[in-house]
Amino acid sequence: MQFARIVAGVGVMALAACTPEAPAAAPVAEEVETPFGPGPEQTDGEAFDATVSGAATWSGIDVPETARLIIEVRDVTRTDESATLVLKEEFPVSGGAPAAFSGTVSKFDLIPGGNLVLRARVQDGYAILLASDGDIDIADSGETGGLDVALFNPEDLARGTPRKMITPEGTAYACGGEALTIALEAGAAYVIFADGTAVELDKLNEVVGGAAQFSNGRFVVEQTGSGLRFGRGRAMPTACIEAG
């Protein structure tokens, strides 16, 4: 009897060894929150790059073949100013409007629940020929493809939104023989001319180790490690020397 029990036990062990293991459960696809809303069929929290694409449109102006469409995407939720720019690309506009654009925001720059905005301009040299009407919020729209971005004459935008000098005192400079008062804020530069008129120049870009550039299409101020430069239109900016 004892021998029979031993044989039966060996048989059970043999059957258990031959029984295949149950397959591992397949990962379950789940929605993952991205700056553009829930992502499509993302699994186990996997992140993906985001492609931002569309076309810029305008009317009433013929741009030169040397002009470029510049697209910038920023994360305005970040407090570190040097980290706000997550995408900057340039595209030809020689074919006129509409001018297509497409760029990719790295998944490492995407913050869940972040607020991304797009700004566009057509620039020839230092002259801004066309610009979007401020920032375009693409995070809340949930759309990153097929964006339709309208561009306008920067002077028309300025006339439609009168601006007020925030820092009118500034610092006195001599820029290429021209007496100017210039003040800098986080997102703009303010220039007061000798006749008392003043303009506000939007901040365009900032490259680590490079120059910060401010412009309204007619004037440009550059902030570098060696000081300020000022220019008009497409002319090369000249160095500004602080008045004594």
Side-chain angles (χ1 to χ4, degrees):
M1 182 66 65
Q2 183 177 1
F3 177 76
R5 284 198 297 269
I6 294 175
V7 172
V10 172
V12 171
M13 294 174 60
L15 288 174
C18 296
T19 302
E21 295 182 0
V28 178
E30 60 181 13
E31 288 186 335
V32 175
E33 189 68 21
T34 73
F36 309 107
E41 293 299 316
Q42 297 183 355
T43 304
D44 296 336
E46 182 180 359
F48 295 93
D49 296 340
T51 298
V52 179
S53 63
T57 59
W58 64 87
S59 61
I61 183 174
D62 293 326
V63 300
E65 293 185 357
T66 53
R68 307 285 290 177
L69 170 64
I70 301 175
I71 299 293
E72 295 180 347
V73 175
R74 298 179 181 275
D75 182 353
V76 296
T77 59
R78 302 189 182 195
T79 57
D80 182 1
E81 187 176 347
S82 64
T84 59
L85 184 65
V86 295
L87 172 66
K88 180 181 179 182
E89 297 284 354
E90 297 187 10
F91 306 90
V93 295
S94 56
F101 63 86
S102 179
T104 301
V105 180
S106 169
K107 62 185 178 183
F108 300 110
D109 290 326
L110 295 175
I111 299 178
N115 185 17
L116 301 187
V117 298
L118 178 145
R119 180 173 290 197
R121 65 184 183 274
V122 171
Q123 187 167 332
D124 186 28
Y126 288 97
I128 299 178
L129 308 179
L130 298 158
S132 58
D133 188 3
D135 291 330
I136 300 170
D137 197 331
I138 59 176
D140 290 344
S141 70
E143 296 293 337
T144 60
L147 299 172
D148 186 9
V149 180
L151 302 182
F152 308 92
N153 185 321
E155 293 186 2
D156 292 340
L157 293 176
R159 283 193 292 267
T161 54
R163 300 189 173 176
K164 180 180 179 181
M165 293 292 289
I166 298 175
T167 320
E169 63 279 7
T171 302
Y173 291 93
C175 306
E178 185 174 8
L180 302 171
T181 299
I182 302 176
L184 300 180
E185 293 285 350
Y190 306 90
V191 180
I192 303 176
F193 298 93
D195 63 359
T197 59
V199 293
E200 179 180 350
L201 313 181
D202 288 332
K203 186 174 183 179
L204 302 182
N205 56 57
E206 183 173 9
V207 180
V208 176
Q213 189 179 76
F214 307 83
S215 179
N216 66 350
R218 296 180 60 194
F219 309 105
V220 62
V221 168
E222 290 184 350
Q223 182 184 28
T224 70
S226 58
L228 299 183
R229 296 196 294 260
F230 174 79
R232 293 174 177 267
R234 297 179 62 184
M236 182 68 70
T238 58
C240 296
I241 301 175
E242 188 170 341

